[in-house]
Amino acid sequence: MSSYAYLAALLVSIAGLAVIDLRYRVAVFDRPRPALLTIAIAVAAFLAWDAAGVGLGIFFIGDAPYLSGVTIAPEVPLEELFFLVLLAYQTLLLWRWLDRRARARQEASA
């Protein structure tokens, strides 16, 4: 079971972000299409980055007891996909929250 520990941690973290998003309606639960498209584009860009890194011999899986062993491409573990979703989602939430905060301050000072 420890071979799926990292994947489980990533899924719990993504679920935690979704709970925050649901509560405050920041991204996916505010405007689902643009938010999901943004996450998908970011994940695709990072996967292209990963492919370039693997092709250049910079990125590789190595020995990792907490990985599932499932790969989505050579030297790209399944967990990488979920890590990239986590990274893109948390960045989107932060960006949208900061944007709302800045707009609220502008409206308050106007």
Side-chain angles (χ1 to χ4, degrees), residues 53-110:
V54 167
L56 293 171
I58 299 168
F59 300 155
F60 53 90
I61 295 175
D63 285 335
Y66 299 109
L67 295 179
S68 64
V70 177
T71 58
I72 57 173
E75 297 296 328
V76 181
L78 174 65
E79 290 82 0
E80 180 72 5
L81 178 64
F82 289 97
F83 172 73
L84 295 176
V85 168
L86 176 74
L87 181 68
Y89 194 14
Q90 69 90 26
T91 303
L92 179 60
L93 289 176
L94 179 62
W95 178 264
R96 295 273 297 146
W97 176 72
L98 290 172
D99 182 56
R100 280 187 181 178
R101 189 172 171 198
R103 288 178 190 221
R105 283 186 178 181
Q106 284 177 347
E107 291 173 3
S109 65

